[in-house]
Amino acid sequence: VSRDGKRIVSAGEDSKIRIWSVNNGSEEMCIQDHEYAVYSVTFSPCESFIASGGFDKLVRTSSLARSPEPSSAPPPSQCFEGHADTVYSVSYSGDGTLLASSGRDKRILVFSVHTRRILHTMTLLYTYAR
């Protein structure tokens, strides 16, 4: 759910990410950046982007802007690589500069949103992260 409560983002087995209007239940946007099922999706703190992760082992960000972004903004769509298996969870830091993901490979990765580099890796011993 967006911070203002006006939009909901959803994803699923069909590999599509949908943005919905809470007011009238209509679909505002459909994004298909992943090739396979998407298991986690979230709005960025500024609500101009969404992050998603899924079966393809990738974390992706997508712009929700319908017009060109300022030159200082990240590209409309970015791919973050590093997981060896399905990604089950994605989350932005409060200021939107970091992106954390976790998955079946028993790792939590923390990426820089601007450089797409992995800044930290945490490995779980006994179970996969959600």
Side-chain angles (χ1 to χ4, degrees):
V1 178
S2 62
R3 287 185 180 198
D4 62 9
K6 294 181 180 180
R7 297 183 298 171
I8 293 175
V9 61
S10 68
E13 295 285 330
D14 64 356
S15 75
K16 293 178 182 169
I17 298 164
R18 291 182 167 86
I19 310 296
W20 304 89
S21 168
V22 171
N23 293 336
N24 60 21
S26 66
E27 182 180 300
E28 294 181 354
M29 183 182 289
C30 182
I31 301 167
Q32 190 163 8
D33 281 343
H34 292 269
E35 191 172 338
Y36 301 105
V38 180
Y39 295 122
S40 182
V41 65
T42 189
F43 285 105
S44 66
C46 67
E47 298 184 359
S48 296
F49 296 88
I50 55 160
S52 57
F55 188 75
D56 58 9
K57 308 174 194 171
L58 300 174
V59 173
R60 293 187 178 272
T61 59
S62 302
S63 174
L64 299 179
R66 296 178 192 264
S67 60
E69 290 290 319
S71 60
S72 63
S77 181
Q78 295 189 87
C79 182
F80 298 76
E81 297 181 26
H83 281 284
D85 208 333
T86 303
V87 176
Y88 285 129
S89 181
V90 294
S91 182
Y92 280 98
S93 61
D95 63 4
T97 62
L98 302 176
L99 187 57
S101 61
S102 63
R104 190 175 173 102
D105 61 1
K106 300 179 183 177
R107 296 189 310 151
I108 299 169
L109 304 179
V110 179
F111 296 92
S112 163
V113 170
H114 293 289
T115 67
R116 295 187 323 233
R117 291 181 135 170
I118 298 171
L119 303 177
H120 304 287
T121 301
M122 291 151 266
T123 303
L124 303 173
L125 298 177
Y126 300 107
T127 185
Y128 58 85
R130 274 213 177 218

